[in-house]
Amino acid sequence: MMYAYWGKADGNASGHHLLVYHALDVAAVAAVLLEQRPELLHRLAAAMGLPPEAAKCWCSFLLGLHDLGKFAETFQQLREDLRIALWPNKHIRKHNYSIRHDTLGWLLWRQFLRNELFDPNDEELQDFIDEGMNYWLAAVTGHHGWPPDDAQQPIKSHFRDFDKQAALSFCRDWLALLQPDLSLLKQHFEDPDFARNQQKASWLLAGIAVLADWLGSDSARFCYCDQPLPLFEYWEKYALPTAREAVKAAGILPPPVQCIEQPRELFDYLEMPTPLQQACLDLPIGTEPQLFILEDVTGSGKTEAALILAARLMAAGQAQGLYIGLPTMATANAMYDRMSTVYERLYRPGEPRPSLILSHSARHLSESFQQSLLAAQASATHYGEEESIVAQCNRWLADNRKKALLADVGIGTIDQALLAVMPARHQSLRLLGLVGKVLILDEVHAYHAYTSEPLKRLIRFHAALGGSVILLSATLTRKQRTDVFPTPVGMNRPMSLTHALH
């Protein structure tokens, strides 16, 4: 029954990819991404409060549920010919596709699957579903760049009974295949912070869902398959091997970090470090997220000091890259010119090479990165009013300001980083792009008052996901230091290095 649903199709052509296989493709990308980016897995596991392997298993399982809404007859009717071919003995009703499949998946979970997938007599497990899994399902079903709508329509308006049973059959078989450890979850039920932790983890999970869906939707790699195979066989023989190729080619695996011991290894001209730069060389690097405030007059070498500190944080395993946010495009241009001769020194020579991108220029983004994220194809497919994931991805990639957060070293205006914590489309992907990076904010004294609240929120989110922040300023007042940049929960108190060091 679950093999009678298409998940991907090319326009009006007859070829299609079964929905259950697309679900496994995307889950495999997430599994491989976490496997090959252990620092990302560590941050996700810490947010979820689970051991890393358990977190990877749960993330993979959840990503397999991202397109549950495509089991809906209203979605399947977008290709009426396929719906009829896959259900030749069923009366196919005419439907208006009025709710997108991401929201339909959220509806199916809340109104049906949450009561059927797990043992309803297991009260502890039901508590977990109420307290934690709703956050996770909202994150993965919202994989098109925004959360699913909180629609209140009954699912019978969109799903036939056999559609619901097919979705349930897939979920049960998928659960049996991966076998996530339910007992581990029960251990955390009495933790008063459990629900809050899953809410925090859902932001990171949502970003992984967007990226995994993009990569897993590339039909050039994940070839269409419309013949029923056991899920285990497809997972092992097709989904996982192809996902390893896709992630490797994507350019989203950070290159090995170089251990910088002397300033001249970064800057040829830096014969004698200033006191501020020397302090950045000598500061102890802790294991927790840290907030540094570097203050000195313009032209005193604050940028070099910040990069020395960032290099040390990266060498200590706290980050794999950095993003530099500046107040204007002109200052971003100038910073780009300075970084173009420095950024590669933060990494070991060899492959993969690090990527550098300016917020409004893509010429230094690696070709493999562009290709892997479904670079432009000659024809984009539309199903009625629903734009294909390929078209969405291509348009997103065309906006170079957004791509800067996914590069190893990104440089852009501060607003591009602030959008990671504001209600904007693909906000979660921006947040994912900042994970594992040192966030350097230059000329913070120049930011307008209206940016203060979003900036505080950005620093809090970055700290919650394990990231450190370096603030640079020439004239930061005490009020700004205490009001605008308080110490976020989970982050060490600010380390302020000022002109007085001279």
Side-chain angles (χ1 to χ4, degrees), residues 273-277 295-297 299-302 497-502:
T274 67
L276 179 63
Q277 294 162 0
E295 299 175 78
D296 210 336
V297 297
S300 61
K302 291 190 301 297
L497 305 178
T498 70
H499 178 72
L501 286 167
H502 288 278

Side-chain angles (χ1 to χ4, degrees), residues 19 59 108 115 143 146 148 169 267 270 310 316 357 381 475 478 485:
L19 174 55
C59 182
L108 183 65
N115 299 316
H143 57 279
W146 60 78
S169 176
F267 311 100
L270 200 57
I357 187 170
T381 304
T475 55
R478 183 178 297 275
F485 306 116

Side-chain angles (χ1 to χ4, degrees), residues 11-54:
N12 295 318
S14 59
H16 63 278
H17 196 41
L18 292 183
L19 174 55
V20 294
Y21 297 154
H22 171 64
L24 267 60
D25 293 339
V26 174
V29 170
V32 171
L33 181 65
L34 293 174
E35 176 185 290
Q36 298 191 12
R37 285 193 57 181
E39 86 293 339
L40 178 60
L41 174 58
H42 174 78
R43 294 174 195 275
L44 178 65
M48 296 173 79
L50 296 173
E53 282 302 311

Side-chain angles (χ1 to χ4, degrees), residues 249-279:
I252 53 176
L253 300 178
V257 170
Q258 182 74 278
C259 183
I260 303 297
E261 297 181 355
Q262 298 296 327
R264 286 202 62 183
E265 295 178 51
L266 279 178
F267 311 100
D268 294 331
Y269 56 84
L270 200 57
E271 295 285 349
M272 180 68 67
T274 67
L276 179 63
Q277 294 162 0
Q278 188 61 51

Side-chain angles (χ1 to χ4, degrees), residues 230-493:
L231 293 187
F232 175 80
E233 182 177 347
Y234 185 85
W235 176 250
E236 293 290 338
K237 292 185 177 180
Y238 300 99
L240 283 174
T242 308
R244 292 189 182 99
E245 295 174 2
V247 170
K248 181 179 180 180
I252 53 176
L253 300 178
V257 170
Q258 182 74 278
C259 183
I260 303 297
E261 297 181 355
Q262 298 296 327
R264 286 202 62 183
E265 295 178 51
L266 279 178
F267 311 100
D268 294 331
Y269 56 84
L270 200 57
E271 295 285 349
M272 180 68 67
T274 67
L276 179 63
Q277 294 162 0
Q278 188 61 51
C280 289
L281 282 166
D282 298 336
L283 277 174
I285 301 296
T287 57
E288 298 297 323
Q290 298 180 80
L291 174 61
F292 301 92
I293 302 175
L294 309 186
E295 299 175 78
D296 210 336
V297 297
T298 301
S300 61
K302 291 190 301 297
T303 299
E304 288 84 351
L307 291 173
I308 289 170
L309 190 52
R312 294 189 62 215
L313 288 165
M314 290 168 64
Q318 283 212 27
Q320 294 76 43
L322 54 93
Y323 180 81
I324 305 176
L326 298 113
T328 67
M329 186 175 293
T331 52
N333 287 340
M335 182 63 71
Y336 175 81
D337 290 340
R338 298 180 68 179
M339 285 298 298
S340 62
T341 60
V342 174
Y343 78 100
E344 287 187 308
R345 300 184 182 188
L346 294 166
Y347 300 93
R348 298 176 193 170
E351 297 294 336
R353 295 187 60 190
S355 57
L356 169 72
I357 187 170
L358 181 63
S359 60
H360 51 86
S361 172
R363 61 183 179 272
H364 282 274
L365 189 64
S366 68
E367 181 180 350
S368 62
F369 183 76
Q370 297 178 50
Q371 292 175 346
S372 67
L373 291 183
L374 313 183
Q377 296 183 8
S379 60
T381 304
H382 293 258
Y383 306 123
E385 295 299 317
E386 176 141 328
E387 184 179 36
S388 75
I389 188 65
V390 174
Q392 287 186 28
C393 181
N394 290 339
R395 191 175 63 252
W396 198 92
L397 284 172
D399 188 341
N400 303 314
R401 295 168 300 173
K402 299 175 183 177
K403 285 191 293 188
L405 299 184
L406 287 170
D408 296 309
V409 178
I411 299 169
T413 48
I414 182 62
D415 62 292
Q416 296 306 309
L418 293 179
L419 284 172
V421 292
M422 298 179 72
R425 190 174 186 187
H426 295 122
Q427 164 269 333
S428 60
L429 189 60
R430 293 175 186 269
L431 198 61
L432 176 66
L434 288 176
V435 168
K437 289 185 172 64
V438 179
L439 181 59
I440 302 176
L441 304 179
D442 199 2
E443 301 187 29
V444 293
H445 58 276
Y447 299 147
H448 298 291
Y450 70 83
T451 64
S452 62
E453 284 303 319
L455 195 53
K456 285 191 286 187
R457 192 179 306 125
L458 174 64
I459 294 173
R460 285 198 297 268
F461 264 88
H462 199 56
L465 296 176
S468 293
V469 180
I470 302 173
L471 307 175
L472 309 183
S473 178
T475 55
L476 189 63
T477 67
R478 183 178 297 275
K479 180 175 176 56
Q480 283 178 308
R481 191 181 300 116
T482 56
D483 293 349
V484 181
F485 306 116
T487 307
V489 176
M491 178 177 276
N492 290 347
R493 66 181 181 82

